[in-house]
Amino acid sequence: HHARHLEEGSLRSIVWKGYKSHFQSFGNLSKPTSVSHCPQMTQTPVKQHHAPKIRYTKQLSGGMKISVWKDDLTTHKVDAVVNTANEQLQHGGLALALSRAGGPEIQQMSDHYIQTNRRVHTGDAIVTTAGKLPCKMIIHAVGPPVPKNPSAKDVSAAKPFLESVIWKILTLAQYNNLQSVAIPAISSGLYNFPRHICADIIVNTVKSFSDKQHPQSTSLEVRLVNNDDPSVREMLRACQQLLGPSGTMQKQTIVSTKSA
């Protein structure tokens, strides 16, 4: 079944120009099933998991919403999770954790994409199904690497690529009519991008994307989800500094507001 969809070009590269026509070739990925229909991780041992904690939420223009969470992306219940991928889609770190939790299908589809397209360019993103993860799809996003202890010039050169990949993630989420997407601190781990600058770029890009939407044209919630306290703190700081204090939190979306 999966092979047939792959042969039909379900993982064809999406490019900025004319991405809509390319995306139609994704077949059933362009019309994902509801989260409730996704296979659950019943065949793997259940590890101890702390309840997700929401730290910030804010309504943006155009109907979008941004929120900051501390949670494990492999179990976070959302329409799409973003995987911090490399150009060859060989999954390690967070990507490996997502791949293992989702089952072998994720790496198999990634390998097929690379065999066909050679690589995913830095600053770009593609979509695959989510396997056993509790979501509709995975957005594999390739952020820019910088050297350890990068100079201001290194960071400045990489910044447009980080902005590009965030914009692409939001474009894919909106095109697929997703209600929510979970984005980690892309490039800030193994790729050495300074965490505080990463947070500022992500928040500013989400705001810029939202500002360009027609009022109430989308109900997309962008969740900045990380499981380590330093990243959560920086995302919270960036939102508070760039967007203002947290807005009114809807009771049904709050799991816990206690500090970890």
Side-chain angles (χ1 to χ4, degrees):
H1 175 73
H2 295 303
R4 186 176 73 252
H5 284 295
L6 292 175
E7 289 301 322
E8 291 172 354
S10 62
L11 291 179
R12 194 171 302 166
S13 177
I14 304 170
V15 294
W16 280 108
K17 186 175 181 181
Y19 76 91
K20 287 188 177 181
S21 61
H22 282 279
F23 203 81
Q24 290 171 354
S25 67
F26 273 64
N28 63 349
L29 291 184
S30 63
K31 295 181 180 179
T33 56
S34 65
V35 175
S36 61
H37 293 159
C38 288
Q40 301 300 308
M41 293 183 288
T42 56
Q43 298 179 351
T44 55
V46 178
K47 61 181 179 180
Q48 187 176 7
H49 176 64
H50 298 287
K53 298 176 175 65
I54 184 169
R55 302 293 174 78
Y56 180 97
T57 184
K58 186 85 168 182
Q59 190 72 41
L60 302 176
S61 59
M64 287 179 62
K65 185 165 75 171
I66 190 169
S67 55
V68 176
W69 297 71
K70 180 177 182 182
D71 196 19
D72 182 348
L73 271 182
T74 65
T75 56
H76 194 71
K77 294 182 179 179
V78 70
D79 280 359
V81 296
V82 172
N83 170 33
T84 53
N86 55 41
E87 289 192 343
Q88 299 302 316
L89 299 183
Q90 292 301 309
H91 303 312
L94 170 61
L96 180 59
L98 286 170
S99 182
R100 284 176 172 170
E105 173 187 354
I106 294 172
Q107 186 64 65
Q108 289 167 3
M109 296 183 78
S110 299
D111 290 343
H112 187 277
Y113 179 90
I114 295 302
Q115 289 169 7
T116 306
N117 300 280
R118 295 195 290 184
R119 64 173 175 161
V120 180
H121 292 277
T122 298
D124 203 358
I126 67 154
V127 173
T128 69
T129 53
K132 297 177 182 178
L133 293 174
C135 57
K136 297 176 181 179
M137 58 182 63
I138 299 178
I139 300 175
H140 302 273
V142 182
V146 294
K148 286 188 177 181
N149 303 311
S151 66
K153 185 177 180 180
D154 292 328
V155 173
S156 179
K159 179 181 176 182
F161 292 96
L162 185 53
E163 292 171 337
S164 172
V165 78
I166 298 300
W167 197 277
K168 185 62 176 290
I169 290 165
L170 300 175
T171 301
L172 291 175
Q174 186 183 59
Y175 185 75
N176 281 273
N177 297 313
L178 301 182
Q179 296 298 305
S180 53
V181 58
I183 304 177
I186 297 173
S187 289
S188 69
L190 297 175
Y191 278 9
N192 304 312
F193 205 98
R195 191 181 280 110
H196 66 290
I197 303 177
C198 170
D200 288 345
I201 291 173
I202 291 175
V203 172
N204 270 324
T205 305
V206 171
K207 182 179 184 300
S208 295
F209 187 91
S210 179
D211 288 344
K212 291 184 180 297
Q213 308 307 308
H214 294 295
Q216 305 307 315
S217 64
T218 177
S219 58
L220 177 65
E221 179 183 3
V222 179
R223 298 185 177 188
L224 308 181
V225 181
N226 295 276
N227 209 23
D228 64 296
D229 288 323
S231 293
V232 175
R233 281 196 297 268
E234 285 300 334
M235 294 300 167
L236 176 59
R237 174 204 56 78
C239 283
Q240 290 173 334
Q241 286 186 357
L242 300 171
L243 304 176
S246 183
T248 302
M249 294 186 181
Q250 299 297 320
K251 290 183 179 180
Q252 64 267 27
T253 65
I254 297 181
V255 178
S256 172
T257 55
K258 295 179 181 179
S259 298

